[in-house]
Amino acid sequence: MLGRLQRQTDDLDLEASELAIRAVMHEVGGVLLAKLLNSDCGSSQAAVKCAAGHATTFVDYRSKEITTVVGQVEFRRAYYYCSACGQGVLPRDEALDLVGTSFSPGVRRLMARVGGKESFNEGRVDLEELAGIKVQTKAVERVAEGVGAALEALGQRERQMVINDQRVVPLKSVAKLYVSVDGTGVPVIRRETVGRRGKSPSGEAHTREAKLGCVFTQPGVDQEGRPQRDEASTTYVGAIEPAAAFGWRIYGEAVRRGLRRAAQVIFIGDGAPWVWGIAAEHFPGAIEIVDLYHAREHLADLSKLVYGAASAKAKQWTTARLAQLDEGDVESLLVNLRRLRPTAAQVQEAVRQTISYFENNRERMRYAQFRRQELFVGSGV
């Protein structure tokens, strides 16, 4: 084949040649892998026990075809039977992590990776395009969700062990530990919204709220006095679940990261009641800060409603209010909010909600004071 390609260099289709060579290499790799797998089929004389510890009887050798990163491969392995349990035993499948699946561990890892980052069908296309692996969309879904469920179960066990002090985490003391939480609506398939009311005019829900939390540490400030985050210190947790369950999730991660050894704990959120409910339940005594940029967004959005998006008055009003906010002068900010007298009912309601937002979070918006304490005031991380 290579000789044929060399004779055609004048009109060589490089892309086609690359893919053709990759396909040949996969074929060769499949042959080598099959030889490796079939070099040890298991012994008919081996003393094999089932999971319950019973002795088994050798029956025969059985073939299995699996999808690997180098293509389809068939191999033979010894099959045993446990009369006490009434079940077959395939030790080779267990050793190779192939119990109940026709996909190799390498392929399952790739399927889980693409399935966790894009739609299952797009993941299937990418697997074929990028790796030459052909699978069904449903297979990507099953594998990705199975791996996700296994990782979640492992995370829950580890989190519970940390919370119960059953697992000692050797961490040094932490000067400043940050916990930040937020949520956003994400599109989901119809079966995930059954029985849930949405924000659309019809009341039908099209999204679920995904909650995300992170934990990071701060060693100090830079030469200009700005707070610095420990490099690569940020860890994340996320789930689509009620706030009560997510509270334990982020708390477990904070404990794992050194919450109980932290000299100072800072909790940053967007002002949503469920966020501060988590802070009150799991992080009492923490310094609570409303993310500055969320607060600024509230003011910018309101000015557009009251004065018009492109008006000079909106820009002037917003600039003055942001200056008050940056100083943490929420009292003066509230005075100016109460002076607004819009006539439209919808705008009046927006003003009322904004006033309530700043009233309820005023102590979490003392930004000048927080900066003097050399703290982060934003949740960009």
Side-chain angles (χ1 to χ4, degrees), residues 14 29 150 194 225 227-228 378 381:
L14 181 56
V194 174
Q228 282 190 311
V381 66

Side-chain angles (χ1 to χ4, degrees), residues 305-317:
L305 283 176
V306 175
Y307 298 109
S311 71
K313 180 65 175 176
K315 184 176 182 180
Q316 179 184 4
W317 185 89

Side-chain angles (χ1 to χ4, degrees), residues 14 16 61 63 66 73 83 94-95 136 202 233 240 278 280 334 357:
L14 181 56
Y61 289 100
S63 296
I66 60 173
V73 172
S83 57
E94 295 176 8
Q136 297 295 317
S202 65
S233 74
I240 298 177
I278 289 177
L334 285 167
Y357 173 80

Side-chain angles (χ1 to χ4, degrees), residues 182-370:
D182 201 356
T184 187
V186 294
V188 293
I189 58 178
R190 184 180 294 274
R191 73 167 181 259
E192 296 290 341
T193 61
V194 174
R196 296 180 180 275
R197 183 165 181 80
K199 297 179 180 179
S200 65
S202 65
E204 185 179 2
H206 301 288
T207 64
R208 294 280 303 275
E209 183 176 59
K211 297 177 176 65
L212 182 69
C214 71
V215 179
F216 64 94
T217 55
Q218 176 192 344
V221 296
D222 62 17
Q223 294 180 346
E224 298 179 9
R226 295 175 301 189
Q228 282 190 311
R229 180 169 55 96
D230 272 323
E231 186 177 359
S233 74
T234 309
T235 55
Y236 294 89
V237 295
I240 298 177
E241 63 187 4
F246 187 76
W248 285 106
R249 184 182 297 271
I250 187 65
Y251 172 70
E253 180 61 14
V255 171
R256 188 185 73 83
R257 292 296 312 282
L259 175 68
R260 293 168 181 163
R261 298 175 178 83
Q264 197 171 41
V265 179
I266 303 94
F267 192 100
I268 303 178
D270 67 352
W274 70 266
V275 168
W276 302 115
I278 289 177
E281 179 177 1
H282 295 289
F283 303 95
I287 297 174
E288 297 181 357
I289 302 176
V290 167
D291 169 60
L292 174 61
Y293 303 98
H294 275 93
R296 287 177 175 176
E297 188 176 32
H298 276 265
L299 294 173
D301 290 345
L302 183 64
S303 70
K304 293 174 185 177
L305 283 176
V306 175
Y307 298 109
S311 71
K313 180 65 175 176
K315 184 176 182 180
Q316 179 184 4
W317 185 89
T318 302
T319 300
R321 301 295 79 76
L322 292 181
Q324 291 173 330
L325 183 65
D326 286 345
E327 287 299 316
D329 187 2
V330 185
E331 286 71 25
S332 296
L333 175 60
L334 285 167
V335 168
N336 284 275
L337 285 172
R338 294 189 178 101
R339 287 174 180 168
L340 296 174
R341 293 290 186 270
T343 56
Q346 181 181 0
V347 182
Q348 289 175 355
E349 177 60 18
V351 172
R352 186 196 66 77
Q353 291 180 1
T354 303
I355 290 174
S356 177
Y357 173 80
F358 284 97
E359 280 184 335
N360 294 335
N361 291 293
R362 67 173 71 195
E363 295 306 320
R364 302 182 180 113
M365 296 178 175
R366 307 301 185 186
Y367 297 114
Q369 175 183 331
F370 296 145

